[in-house]
């Protein structure tokens, strides 16, 4: 007894138990790159694009003061030796103190690593990995922003794979992009910024200094076991950090909502293990991304302008989670792909509010400065989504034509950035036209994200986008 089922528009012969009845020469798409056409099953065609998407996210616990539960969580995990990672500035602030008090109260044994670099590099990752390898940790805890959480993910990964070369799991083409098959230790993430969404995702980003470009590790295997989202921690964010973190949420939501649809992404994986964490926009991620954008529109300006506005900062903390779940499954595209060399090639720009002495372009800032140009470029491929985003951000689109979606969203973003007094383009960070070739060169390897752009692009297109982003007002 058999039935005909449809997966992503592909007819697949299965019995009532779901077993494939296709002849051996024509395997079903759940198990291979091929699919069944016709009643006789005699025609086999290689399927070039994916037909399915997968929803994955960390467990999330949210509530004011919820950090005090972490000691009990570690007891419940029967933790014997905990690695707590943070950075030097945060180690002196209330979020870390709250977590350490909970660990002490519940008599949890731990060691603190507070040498995480804001905007980590391959060298800083390796330093944290060495610390993790030199101790027999059975649980990891990250207290901080995306830099801390990403560093902790890497430390957990490589301490559990001690024989792996550093580039083994790094995204291709910079690394080997090998799948992670071994089990990792539990990781609890306690985000202190409202931006990266790293507590929900299987992504760890760093500057690869030999190429002066960002890359990372992307695998569901490295996502945290639990994200403890305590909105009280966001009250310690300076205004500039709140703004740049919020811009990351904004672009996560916009990029994932406008990303190439999952069933247009190629190649179709021969094994579910090879389906990437960033799969393209899909009906589930759309819900999270759209809602995150609505929260940003309502609360971000308040959260930046008034550090004591608990409602606004709490809402942005949740928006970061919402957007994280969205982009953690759909992915991001050109804003993020282009941001990596912007941050990696930084010259003299010193970011306010971050407490670091080295030149730094905060991640959210490096992402958002190209947003007006990028969404003007991508709009022709899905104008309805670009118009919807503009409307959510406050534009009146009732009389706007589809072909004007790009300029309308770009102008809406410019107004949003201007009201928050964001630097006037890449030129304000010290970049000029002479830097464009290097910025393009640093973007080209970011295929993990750039290929999710809904509009195909050339190096010349990238050059024009960087040029258009030198000044945005």
């Amino acid at each position: 007894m058999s039935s005909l089922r449809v997966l992503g528009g592909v007819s697949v012969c299965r019995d009532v138990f779901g077993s494939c009845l296709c002849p051996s020469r024509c395997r079903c798409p759940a198990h291979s790159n091929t699919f069944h056409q016709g009643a006789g099953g005699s025609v086999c065609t290689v399927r070039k694009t994916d037909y399915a998407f997968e929803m994955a996210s960390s467990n999330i616990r949210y509530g004011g003061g919820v950090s005090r539960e972490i000691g009990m969580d570690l007891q419940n995990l029967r933790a014997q030796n905990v690695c707590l990672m943070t950075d030097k500035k945060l180690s002196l602030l209330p979020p870390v103190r709250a977590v350490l008090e909970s660990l002490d109260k519940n008599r949890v044994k731990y060691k603190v690593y507070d040498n995480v670099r804001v905007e980590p590099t391959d060298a800083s990752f390796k330093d944290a990995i060495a610390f993790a390898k030199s101790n027999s940790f059975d649980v990891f805890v990250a207290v901080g922003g995306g830099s801390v959480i990403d560093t902790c993910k890497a430390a957990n990964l490589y301490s559990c794979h001690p024989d792996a070369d550093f580039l083994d799991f790094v995204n291709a083409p910079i690394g080997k992009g090998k799948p992670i098959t071994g089990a990792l230790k539990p990781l609890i993430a306690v985000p202190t910024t409202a931006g990266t969404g790293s507590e929900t995702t299987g992504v760890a980003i760093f500057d690869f200094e030999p190429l002066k470009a960002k890359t990372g590790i992307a695998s569901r295997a490295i996502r945290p076991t639990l994200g403890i989202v305590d909105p009280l921690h966001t009250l310690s964010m300076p205004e500039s950090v709140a703004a740049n973190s919020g811009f990351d949420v904004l672009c996560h939501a916009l990029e994932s909502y406008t990303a190439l649809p999952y069933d247009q992404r190629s190649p179709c994986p021969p094994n579910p293990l090879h389906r990437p964490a960033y799969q393209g926009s899909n009906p589930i991620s759309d819900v999270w991304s759209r809602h995150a954008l609505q929260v940003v529109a309502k609360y971000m300006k308040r959260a930046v302008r008034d550090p004591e506005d608990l409602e606004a900062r709490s809402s942005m903390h949740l928006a970061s989670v919402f957007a994280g779940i969205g982009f953690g499954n759909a992915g991001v595209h050109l804003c993020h792909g282009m941001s990596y060399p912007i941050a990696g090639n930084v010259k003299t720009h010193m970011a306010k509010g971050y407490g670091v002495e080295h030149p730094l372009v905060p991640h959210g800032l490096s992402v958002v400065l190209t947003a007006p140009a990028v969404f003007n470029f991508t709009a022709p491929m899905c104008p309805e989504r670009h118009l919807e985003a503009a409307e959510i951000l406050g534009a009146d689109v009732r009389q706007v034509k589809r072909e004007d979606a790009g300029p309308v969203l770009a102008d809406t973003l410019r107004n949003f950035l201007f009201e928050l007094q964001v630097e006037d383009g890449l030129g304000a960070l010290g970049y000029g036209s002479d830097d464009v070739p290097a910025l393009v060169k640093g973007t080209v390897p970011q295929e993990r994200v750039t290929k999710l752009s809904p509009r195909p692009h050339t190096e010349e297109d990238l050059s024009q986008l960087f040029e258009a982003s030198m000044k945005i007002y």
Side-chain angles (χ1 to χ4, degrees), residues 76-249:
N76 294 338
L77 288 169
R78 295 183 172 85
Q80 299 299 309
N81 190 24
V82 173
C83 175
L84 188 146
M85 290 198 166
T86 189
D87 64 49
K88 290 191 182 300
K89 183 176 181 180
L90 272 169
S91 66
L92 305 175
L93 296 178
V96 172
R97 288 203 300 267
V99 171
L100 291 180
E101 286 172 5
S102 181
L103 268 60
D104 290 334
K105 180 179 179 181
N106 290 276
R107 298 187 176 128
V108 175
K109 179 183 175 184
Y110 63 87
K111 291 184 179 179
V112 175
Y113 177 87
D114 65 359
N115 203 35
V116 170
R117 189 181 193 273
V118 177
E119 300 298 334
T121 64
D122 52 320
S124 72
F125 263 21
K126 289 175 182 177
D127 187 71
I129 291 165
F131 177 83
K133 284 183 175 180
S134 66
N135 297 273
S136 299
F137 295 121
D138 54 359
V139 181
F140 288 80
V141 174
V143 186
S147 296
V148 172
I149 299 172
D150 288 3
T151 299
C152 199
K153 290 174 183 175
N156 186 10
L157 170 62
Y158 287 96
S159 66
C160 293
H161 295 78
D163 297 326
D165 180 77
F166 180 72
L167 290 177
D168 279 353
F169 304 120
V170 174
N171 300 322
I174 292 175
K176 299 174 185 176
K178 291 183 178 180
I180 299 168
T181 55
L184 273 63
K185 302 293 172 58
L187 191 162
I188 298 177
V190 186
T192 58
T193 60
T196 69
S198 187
E199 68 277 4
T200 71
T201 72
V203 179
I205 302 297
F206 65 94
D207 284 314
F208 188 63
E209 292 183 302
L211 294 181
K212 292 186 177 181
K214 281 189 186 287
T215 183
I217 303 162
S219 170
R220 296 178 188 87
I222 68 171
R223 71 178 186 271
T225 311
L226 172 65
I228 293 183
V229 182
D230 188 338
L232 298 181
H233 294 337
T234 65
L235 298 178
S236 63
M237 279 195 299
E239 179 179 320
S240 58
V241 177
N244 292 325
S245 299
F247 293 139
D248 203 15
V249 179

Side-chain angles (χ1 to χ4, degrees), residues 379-401:
M381 306 309 294
C382 44
E384 293 83 3
R385 290 191 174 221
H386 286 68
L387 283 175
E388 183 180 2
E391 184 175 31
I392 291 172
L393 292 173
D396 183 352
V397 301
R398 288 173 294 181
Q399 304 298 322
V400 176
K401 298 178 181 178

